[in-house]
Amino acid sequence: GREDAEEVTALRRILFARLGEMNDSPSSMEFVLRQLQVSPHPRLRHAFYHVLVAVMGQEGGWGVRAAFATGGFRQFLLSRSTERDKVGMEWKYSLVQAVLRETDGGEGGEGGREGGREGGRARGLLGEDVLEELRTYSKAGPFYVGRQVDVETMM
């Protein structure tokens, strides 16, 4: 029942907290973000994205709260220049989708239901400005690179 679900959620939270502790980091979220920023190994980055996607979907929004309380997370998440390979871009897009599912009732994502549960359980955690940035990212898709100005044709 409900008590079992709360116990499982608490255990997941403890397990995630141990990730940072075991790696001498102030927090697990800082550790994961740092790995995503500095690791030259795509497979390792993809594994960290997988962890973050799972953490974003946790009951009560604690994953979303921890992520956006971590300095640089928002900028990293919205930057299109941090991933170069197709799979990395897809993982990052999946992370944006996971945040939207939890905070925006699924708007801008893939609908308000995933896996048979309602999205938006953590609605209200993020400001409208952040949600709009995430929706824009989502609508553009995983491979959007923006318009690039051709300097030669401007001369």
Side-chain angles (χ1 to χ4, degrees):
R2 179 86 176 133
E3 288 179 13
D4 290 339
E6 289 175 4
E7 187 174 323
V8 169
T9 296
L11 288 172
R12 288 176 179 158
R13 199 171 183 168
I14 290 168
L15 181 61
F16 185 68
R18 295 288 187 266
L19 182 62
E21 291 171 14
M22 297 303 291
N23 288 285
D24 296 321
S25 184
S27 77
S28 295
M29 203 57 75
E30 286 182 31
F31 172 73
V32 171
L33 181 60
R34 186 171 54 251
Q35 295 307 307
L36 285 169
Q37 292 170 328
V38 302
S39 178
H41 308 291
R43 284 186 165 177
L44 183 59
R45 285 197 321 276
H46 303 164
F48 281 115
Y49 277 120
H50 194 140
V51 168
L52 284 180
V53 167
V55 167
M56 291 306 124
Q58 295 303 302
E59 191 74 34
W62 63 263
V64 173
R65 204 175 292 113
F68 282 86
T70 301
F73 181 82
R74 175 182 176 182
Q75 294 79 5
F76 173 82
L77 184 61
L78 295 168
S79 172
R80 294 284 185 165
S81 65
T82 59
E83 290 301 325
R84 301 273 186 246
D85 67 286
K86 178 182 182 283
V87 176
M89 290 175 185
E90 291 170 337
W91 268 113
K92 191 168 195 184
Y93 184 76
S94 293
L95 181 56
V96 169
Q97 295 293 297
V99 172
L100 280 171
R101 276 192 302 274
E102 290 306 308
T103 59
D104 200 28
E107 292 175 27
E110 300 170 10
R113 297 185 63 79
E114 167 136 322
R117 64 176 175 79
E118 288 294 323
R121 294 179 303 191
R123 194 175 188 99
L125 280 181
L126 302 178
E128 188 58 36
D129 60 326
V130 178
L131 288 174
E132 191 54 42
E133 290 173 331
L134 292 168
R135 289 180 200 123
T136 299
Y137 189 111
S138 176
K139 287 176 186 166
F143 308 114
Y144 178 78
V145 290
R147 293 177 7 146
Q148 299 196 1
V149 176
D150 186 353
V151 177
E152 288 182 34
T153 60
M154 292 185 67
M155 296 182 158

